[in-house]
Amino acid sequence: MATFRKLIVEVVDGRNLLPKDGQGTSSPYAIVDFCGQRKRTKTVVRDLNPTWNEVLDFNMAAGAMELFGDILEVDVLHDRSYGPTRRNNCLGRIRVSSRLFVKKGEEALIYFPLEKKRFFSWTQGEIGFKIYYVDEELPPPPQVQDEAKPPEEAPPPVADADAGTTDAPAAPPPPPETEAAPPAEPIPAASDPPKPSEEQLPAPPPGEPAPPSGETAPPPENSTPEAEKQAEAEPPPPQEAEQSNAESEPAAPEQVPPPQIMASIENKSAPLVKVAPFQPLRRPLLSSSNFSADLRETVSIERTSFDLVEKMHYIFVRVVKAGALPTKGNPVVTVAVSGGHISSKPAQKSTQTSFFEWDQIFAFGRETPESTSLLEVSVWDPPPAHPSDVAGDGFLGGVCFDVAEIPLRDPPDSPLAPQWYRIEGGAAYNGVLMLATWIGTQADEAFPEAWITDTAGNVHSKSKVYQSPKMWYLRVTAIEAQDVNVSPLTALKDLSLHLTVKLGFQMQKTKVSVTRNGTPSWKQDLIFVAAEPFTHDHLIFALESQQPKGKVATLGVARVPLKAIERRVDDRMPVSHWYSLQNPNMEDDEKKSSYKGRVHLRVCFDGGYHVMDEAAHVSSDFRPTARQLWKPPIGTVELGIIACTNLPPMKTIDGKGATDAYAVAKYGPKWVRTRTVSDSLDPKWNEQYTWKVYDPCTVLTVGVFDSYAAFQVDGSKQATYPDLRMGKVRIRISTLQTGRVYRNRYPLLLLSPGGKKQMGEIELAVRFVRAAHTLDVLHVYSQPLLPLMHHIKPLGMVQQEMLRTTATKIVSDHLSRSEPPLRREIVLYMLDADSQSFSMRKVRANWIRIINVVAGVVDIVRWIDDTRSWKNPTATILVHALLVLLVWFPDLIFPTLFFYVFAIGAWNYRFRSREPLPHFCPKMSMVDAVDREELDEEFDTLPSNRSPEKLLVRYDKLRTLGARVQTVLGDAATQGERVQALVMWRDPRATGIFVGMCLVVAVVMYLVPSKMVAMAGGFYYMRHPMFRDRGPSPAFNFFRRLPSLSDRMM
């Protein structure tokens, strides 16, 4: 049955609205406009925090949301009939883009701040909405029978199947071409009663029954501008009288003029049209760069121009079906071209048409489109013993084509229609074969599903696009429990109760609460990771009691379906609920429903967080889970995976080294996998993909792997072998210039227990295309990297790492169930799941990074020491002059400092990196001079599976390193304790000296101007070495003599 889409707007409440009636209050109501439809809520009398809780529905076209980018406008006004007010009764306006619309089940309460309707107006407050859309079935048209007139003859059916559906109502004759056809609205369901809060809608389109004569006729929409302005400024209060259903008393059809669209309403998309024949709308199309209209993430391969990669020409052969074949078996089709032979799957005979059907596409690689050869297509039953056979007992016939005469097709050309060809030279004298053949490129829409020569036709070798599951943080707040049934033997004893919460493979426990009266209290938050869809998943709560000897007894169990859990996008407090506990030991339904107490919980999905499945420094997405909080994309990144060169053999097949390479790219929730090129050390893919970019400070990851699936045999041990990693490349989007194509070769480096390996090179082409304004892109750098909830209610570092490990497991399990599967080891390698493991190599590398960062500060300190030592008298004199200038004109200190930083940045621009794009650095990673023992320790599992002797050696080395760290930490603590000892009177003499000196300095600075003190201090610090003592300064000696607590350490 046909369906139509409705947009549901739940107007919940308002907060802190502006008073308008002159008495400190307002009587607000809301007017909602969408797609030329206007509806209003009731008036809440004299309330600055009104509550409406009204549901308004709007008709919308199924594809208008993605194509036209409609805007939902909400005007909040003060009702003048409930108090005097000024001429301007507008409390504010809200404009919501269609990209925030979600389907039913994903909605959440969101508060939108009121915006100014005019420049000089004053607004405050916010309005809470739930906005979502539903698809409802369109009821069949009512059977209208007129006794006075005989029924008219139905028009003959249209031969074209695309002209309309069979259950669509008959349409009136089209209007003349001089009149613009107004968009019609979808037919509402007969069961939907009209709401008293709705304003009058436009007249029904021709073909719908007219309203009964007893009803009031709707006002014309082409009213005067004055009436429209008055209706917008002060709409009438809602009518309470009910309107009868127009379809309950059908009247005789009469000619109704088409409705006219109000000039004051901006209609950006066409409502759903259910007429036949279809009349297209004449409206300008939006440009492809308007990303605000895109709502859904695509999961198919985008049709790009393929301008970043080289075009690879293929001969496409689509075999559809055959007829009049003298066989009762399952014939096959053999295609031969340019020395390549391939046989199709066995045909299936259709019971309705008696045709043998294949509907299979083959793609044969071709070096140059000008090369000439013959294309042979033959039908066999039984199949030939060898694909290169040209004749035999099972040969039914064939057809030959000259490749030079095959048409060349390049998208966006339409697909070539298959034609019937008579097969000759075999047993089928009257046999015919339907096929189509053309020369195309990898941009052809038939390429992803075709049998391709360089993939050996394996089903797991096709290029695919995957989508990560949508993951939510599930927050469970365990508050308390009541009426817990305990045995009489333990009634007077203290009970140690805790709550165990389980979601799939995740299980967490609350702290232990000790109670005697059976009412434990926890008030503890537990956070889980949940992935959509939530169809059959349940959240399980088990109240457990700790028994003697470490035993645990389950007192009651509660189950909560995930579909019934509330979703939130901010930090508002969700509603808490009481859940009854059931007996877990009884199987009978009656006994299982016995009351075992109840537990008080607050459960919600937190959509304001970003569920991390990657490390923060290499993350490809920072958007929150809730789609309503997404911001429009700033551009797109296009990746062309061209080829690999000099790959090593990764496995041995039939005594010969082979590599079946494919590439995987990941950015955001979208994964792409190229086709697997079989048995090639220099594979060429030339595939291009596109992602939307929401944040420039993200990373695109590309990895290369060797597949074992190309040679898998059912029942063989090779089927269990994992795909081997060959290296990966990371590209940071912020390093890409807008519109520039970066085409480079990157080395594939792999770190293994044997050391660093050069696994060849990969050639990539990357381009970032900016879609937003330059100021919008620069504004992103001032926004927080993570969503706001990470700062309002931050998660701990340990908790984040645990949740990231859980999310990684969920993503790997989800993608491994795809077809073809993206294996678990691939997902873990792309997500850097093992990047947090301990590595002595990384410890030294990070220490060197810290030294390089501090090196700049060390250089500044060294320059100051050289200046005060008069090693360069000219520079010292200039510094003295600069000191005098800054002391007497202190306003120049900060401008001089910032200008100096600018000069350093401008000077370093000459020495910026000339590399095409940053890549893995073996020198910084210290993989060239790493010890084998350290690599073996880095790749060791947890817990370790090495011998006890080797573990003892590693433990001794770790103790040595720990002793050094212990010494450094002790020295840092000593210096801090000496600073505290200045005023703590641990050494009475030292503290007395320090306090007395502070008094003297205070008196001197009260009497002497600060400029003179600063100049005297500067000249004293930079005095000539001949006026200094060779020993340390008295201040340094005094500080070293201060006591610390290190002498109290045992």
Side-chain angles (χ1 to χ4, degrees):
M1 183 177 291
T3 61
F4 69 99
R5 178 165 293 180
K6 276 190 175 183
L7 178 68
I8 307 299
V9 180
E10 296 185 14
V11 187
V12 182
D13 59 356
R15 297 177 179 175
N16 194 25
L17 299 184
L18 192 70
K20 280 286 186 177
D21 60 355
Q23 301 178 2
T25 61
S26 293
S27 300
Y29 64 92
I31 298 179
V32 185
D33 289 333
F34 180 73
C35 271
Q37 307 167 70
R38 171 175 293 180
K39 298 183 181 181
R40 62 160 289 172
T41 64
K42 63 183 179 181
T43 300
V44 180
V45 181
R46 295 183 178 88
D47 194 351
L48 296 180
N49 299 293
T51 300
W52 289 286
N53 287 326
E54 294 193 30
V55 180
L56 308 178
D57 57 335
F58 300 87
N59 299 324
M60 60 186 302
M65 200 163 45
E66 295 86 356
L67 181 60
F68 301 115
D70 294 319
I71 300 295
L72 177 72
E73 296 186 0
V74 182
D75 291 325
V76 183
L77 306 174
H78 165 69
D79 197 339
R80 295 179 179 178
S81 59
Y82 292 98
T85 183
R86 296 170 294 178
R87 181 178 180 182
N88 181 15
N89 65 335
C90 179
L91 298 176
R93 165 180 289 184
I94 297 174
R95 294 170 60 89
V96 183
S97 175
S98 62
R99 62 182 175 81
L100 301 181
F101 300 165
V102 296
K103 62 183 178 181
K104 182 176 177 58
E106 298 182 3
E107 72 276 7
L109 179 60
I110 303 179
Y111 285 89
F112 295 91
L114 291 171
E115 301 176 354
K116 295 181 180 180
K117 191 173 182 179
R118 298 176 180 86
F119 181 76
F120 294 102
S121 59
W122 176 261
T123 60
Q124 72 176 26
E126 54 188 6
I127 306 296
F129 291 99
K130 287 185 180 180
I131 306 175
Y132 55 94
Y133 59 88
V134 294
D135 293 328
E136 299 183 357
E137 294 184 353
L138 189 67
Q143 300 295 333
V144 181
Q145 297 181 359
D146 193 357
E147 298 179 356
K149 298 181 180 180
E152 296 182 359
E153 240 178 303
V158 184
D160 190 0
D162 296 334
T165 57
T166 58
D167 56 347
E177 296 183 357
T178 57
E179 298 180 5
E185 295 184 3
I187 303 173
S191 60
D192 293 339
K195 298 178 177 56
S197 61
E198 299 178 2
E199 288 194 352
Q200 198 67 32
L201 297 178
E208 291 187 8
S213 58
E215 292 185 3
T216 306
E221 293 187 354
N222 52 353
S223 55
T224 60
E226 291 80 356
E228 296 175 5
K229 190 178 301 183
Q230 183 179 1
E232 180 181 358
E234 185 180 0
Q239 302 293 333
E240 300 296 335
E242 290 188 20
Q243 299 178 3
S244 59
N245 196 345
E247 295 183 359
S248 60
E249 299 178 8
E254 57 185 56
Q255 190 70 20
V256 182
Q260 302 293 331
I261 302 300
M262 297 173 61
S264 62
I265 298 178
E266 182 181 3
N267 186 9
K268 290 191 175 181
S269 67
L272 189 61
V273 179
K274 292 294 179 181
V275 295
F278 176 74
Q279 298 178 2
L281 295 175
R282 295 180 175 88
R283 62 183 300 162
L285 295 177
L286 298 179
S287 63
S288 60
S289 60
N290 185 12
F291 293 99
S292 62
D294 297 333
L295 181 67
R296 299 185 179 91
E297 289 283 348
T298 178
V299 295
S300 60
I301 298 179
E302 286 85 353
R303 299 295 307 281
T304 61
S305 58
F306 281 79
D307 56 342
L308 298 181
V309 298
E310 301 172 357
K311 287 188 176 182
M312 302 177 64
H313 289 85
Y314 291 87
I315 300 177
F316 289 89
V317 179
R318 180 188 177 190
V319 182
V320 183
K321 55 186 175 181
L325 299 181
T327 179
K328 296 182 180 180
N330 301 105
V332 297
V333 173
T334 300
V335 184
V337 62
S338 301
H341 302 79
I342 185 59
S343 297
S344 70
K345 60 184 179 182
Q348 299 294 333
K349 189 172 183 180
S350 175
T351 57
Q352 299 179 354
T353 60
S354 299
F355 289 134
F356 294 93
E357 298 180 354
W358 293 278
D359 199 9
Q360 196 170 355
I361 303 176
F362 305 93
F364 295 85
R366 198 157 176 259
E367 296 296 333
T368 57
E370 292 79 12
S371 61
T372 59
S373 61
L374 287 179
L375 171 64
E376 301 177 359
V377 183
S378 56
V379 184
W380 297 74
D381 188 29
H386 193 272
S388 60
D389 295 343
V390 296
D393 297 336
F395 181 68
L396 301 180
V399 59
C400 296
F401 298 89
D402 189 355
V403 176
E405 297 180 359
I406 295 178
L408 179 65
R409 176 182 177 268
D410 196 5
D413 294 347
S414 300
L416 201 65
Q419 300 179 8
W420 287 104
Y421 295 90
R422 185 176 298 278
I423 56 178
E424 301 174 349
Y429 298 102
N430 297 322
V432 288
L433 179 65
M434 176 179 282
L435 60 87
T437 178
W438 68 94
I439 296 178
T441 62
Q442 71 271 29
D444 200 292
E445 67 272 4
F447 183 78
E449 299 298 331
W451 186 99
I452 309 172
T453 52
D454 54 10
T455 63
N458 190 274
V459 293
H460 297 287
S461 301
K462 298 179 180 179
S463 57
K464 291 293 180 181
V465 177
Y466 304 86
Q467 196 78 6
S468 295
K470 188 176 183 180
M471 293 181 291
W472 296 73
Y473 280 154
L474 176 59
R475 184 184 295 269
V476 179
T477 303
I479 303 176
E480 60 178 345
Q482 291 182 359
D483 304 336
V484 178
N485 292 337
V486 296
S487 61
L489 298 178
T490 59
L492 300 178
K493 297 181 180 180
D494 292 337
L495 292 177
S496 299
L497 302 178
H498 67 268
L499 192 67
T500 300
V501 187
K502 184 178 180 181
L503 177 63
F505 63 90
Q506 310 172 59
M507 185 175 65
Q508 297 187 36
K509 297 181 180 180
T510 63
K511 61 184 179 181
V512 177
S513 176
V514 180
T515 179
R516 281 190 177 184
N517 54 4
T519 58
S521 177
W522 300 285
K523 296 182 180 179
Q524 183 178 354
D525 285 351
L526 305 177
I527 300 181
F528 300 84
V529 180
E532 292 185 354
F534 307 135
T535 308
H536 304 291
D537 295 338
H538 287 77
L539 190 63
I540 302 175
F541 302 93
L543 183 61
E544 297 177 348
S545 173
Q546 293 185 357
Q547 303 293 330
K549 298 182 180 181
K551 296 182 180 179
V552 177
T554 303
L555 304 180
V557 175
R559 299 169 62 92
V560 179
L562 296 186
K563 295 181 63 177
I565 296 178
E566 179 186 0
R567 306 187 185 194
R568 70 172 185 177
V569 297
D570 50 16
D571 60 336
R572 64 181 178 86
M573 190 69 68
V575 180
S576 60
H577 298 277
W578 288 93
Y579 297 96
S580 298
L581 298 174
Q582 299 173 351
N583 193 343
N585 301 322
M586 299 296 180
E587 297 296 336
D588 188 25
D589 294 339
E590 297 180 357
K591 296 182 180 179
K592 190 175 182 180
S593 60
S594 60
Y595 182 72
K596 291 295 182 181
R598 60 177 185 169
V599 60
H600 191 196
L601 302 172
R602 185 180 291 116
V603 186
C604 68
F605 284 112
D606 272 334
Y609 289 95
H610 169 67
V611 181
M612 301 286 294
D613 58 351
E614 301 170 292
H617 62 282
V618 292
S619 180
S620 60
D621 191 12
F622 295 103
R623 291 176 295 170
T625 302
R627 187 185 296 270
Q628 298 92 326
L629 301 181
W630 291 3
K631 296 180 180 179
I634 62 173
T636 58
V637 57
E638 301 175 1
L639 173 67
I641 305 176
I642 301 174
C644 275
T645 56
N646 302 324
L647 297 181
M650 300 298 295
K651 56 182 175 291
T652 302
I653 303 296
D654 297 332
K656 175 187 175 183
T659 298
D660 306 311
Y662 64 93
V664 176
K666 196 264 181 187
Y667 185 79
K670 177 180 174 182
W671 301 65
V672 298
R673 168 180 173 162
T674 65
R675 67 185 187 277
T676 303
V677 179
S678 298
D679 196 13
S680 176
L681 301 181
D682 299 311
K684 292 184 179 180
W685 295 291
N686 286 304
E687 299 182 14
Q688 185 170 337
Y689 301 93
T690 305
W691 288 268
K692 295 178 183 178
V693 177
Y694 294 85
D695 195 317
C697 302
T698 47
V699 177
L700 170 66
T701 305
V702 183
V704 182
F705 303 88
D706 175 68
S707 174
Y708 259 96
F711 290 94
Q712 282 185 3
V713 181
D714 294 340
S716 65
K717 296 183 179 179
Q718 292 182 350
T720 60
Y721 287 174
D723 289 353
L724 302 178
R725 59 184 69 173
M726 303 180 67
K728 61 183 174 183
V729 177
R730 293 196 189 113
I731 300 174
R732 185 166 289 273
I733 305 300
S734 59
T735 60
L736 304 177
Q737 298 181 8
T738 302
R740 177 182 173 183
V741 178
Y742 295 83
R743 181 167 179 172
N744 305 289
R745 293 180 178 270
Y746 302 92
L748 293 175
L749 303 177
L750 183 65
L751 186 62
S752 64
K756 184 193 74 172
K757 293 183 179 180
Q758 179 79 25
M759 307 297 288
E761 294 181 344
I762 183 173
E763 185 176 2
L764 301 175
V766 189
R767 176 172 59 197
F768 172 69
V769 180
R770 179 174 52 83
H773 196 272
T774 305
L775 295 179
D776 295 335
V777 178
L778 298 179
H779 177 68
V780 175
Y781 283 86
S782 65
Q783 301 300 309
L785 195 64
L786 293 172
L788 189 60
M789 283 294 293
H790 287 268
H791 304 276
I792 298 177
K793 288 188 175 182
L795 304 175
M797 296 300 298
V798 178
Q799 190 178 27
Q800 283 188 10
E801 192 60 31
M802 293 175 58
L803 294 174
R804 182 201 163 196
T805 303
T806 304
T808 303
K809 178 176 174 54
I810 292 176
V811 172
S812 60
D813 293 343
H814 175 82
L815 296 180
S816 62
R817 294 192 300 265
S818 305
E819 188 62 35
L822 203 59
R823 295 193 172 185
R824 175 181 174 84
E825 61 270 13
I826 300 171
V827 178
L828 296 180
Y829 179 64
M830 296 290 291
L831 295 178
D832 270 346
D834 55 350
S835 61
Q836 301 299 326
S837 58
F838 175 77
S839 171
M840 190 67 68
R841 173 187 60 86
K842 291 183 180 180
V843 171
R844 284 203 299 268
N846 291 331
W847 174 252
I848 293 178
R849 290 172 57 195
I850 294 176
I851 293 177
N852 293 333
V853 171
V854 182
V857 180
V858 174
D859 293 341
I860 294 176
V861 173
R862 189 175 301 168
W863 176 81
I864 294 176
D865 187 69
D866 293 343
T867 301
R868 67 187 295 264
S869 300
W870 292 75
K871 292 185 176 181
N872 189 352
T874 304
T876 305
I877 295 174
L878 292 178
V879 170
H880 280 76
L882 180 63
L883 175 64
V884 174
L885 181 64
L886 295 181
V887 167
W888 288 102
F889 300 98
D891 296 340
L892 298 179
I893 294 178
F894 286 103
T896 304
L897 178 63
F898 286 112
F899 183 79
Y900 179 70
V901 175
F902 164 77
I904 292 177
W907 178 263
N908 291 337
Y909 181 78
R910 301 172 52 195
F911 308 102
R912 66 188 185 278
S913 177
R914 300 292 182 177
E915 297 180 1
L917 283 177
H919 189 50
F920 289 111
C921 181
K923 180 179 180 181
M924 187 181 70
S925 303
M926 299 187 66
V927 296
D928 293 328
V930 66
D931 187 23
R932 292 294 181 88
E933 175 62 25
E934 294 181 357
L935 283 177
D936 184 73
E937 180 183 8
E938 181 176 349
F939 286 92
D940 193 5
T941 59
L942 191 67
S944 177
N945 55 4
R946 300 299 188 266
S947 61
E949 294 79 8
K950 184 172 292 187
L951 293 179
L952 183 60
V953 173
R954 294 177 182 175
Y955 177 68
D956 293 339
K957 183 186 295 185
L958 187 60
R959 289 180 60 188
T960 305
L961 178 63
R964 298 179 184 176
V965 175
Q966 171 185 313
T967 303
V968 173
L969 294 178
D971 292 342
T974 299
Q975 305 306 323
E977 291 168 354
R978 284 174 177 171
V979 174
Q980 292 179 347
L982 289 172
V983 292
M984 296 299 293
W985 296 92
R986 294 174 186 165
D987 187 346
R989 299 183 186 86
T991 303
I993 294 173
F994 177 74
V995 173
M997 289 299 299
C998 289
L999 178 61
V1000 172
V1001 171
V1003 172
V1004 171
M1005 295 194 69
Y1006 273 124
L1007 301 177
V1008 182
S1010 58
K1011 294 181 179 180
M1012 298 297 297
V1013 174
M1015 186 176 297
F1019 277 92
Y1020 176 78
Y1021 180 75
M1022 291 186 297
R1023 67 190 184 278
H1024 198 274
M1026 62 182 299
F1027 299 108
R1028 297 180 194 168
D1029 191 4
R1030 292 186 177 183
S1033 64
F1036 185 75
N1037 295 332
F1038 176 78
F1039 184 78
R1040 291 291 299 272
R1041 291 177 177 273
L1042 290 173
S1044 65
L1045 301 180
S1046 58
D1047 54 347
R1048 303 184 186 181
M1049 292 286 295
M1050 296 182 64

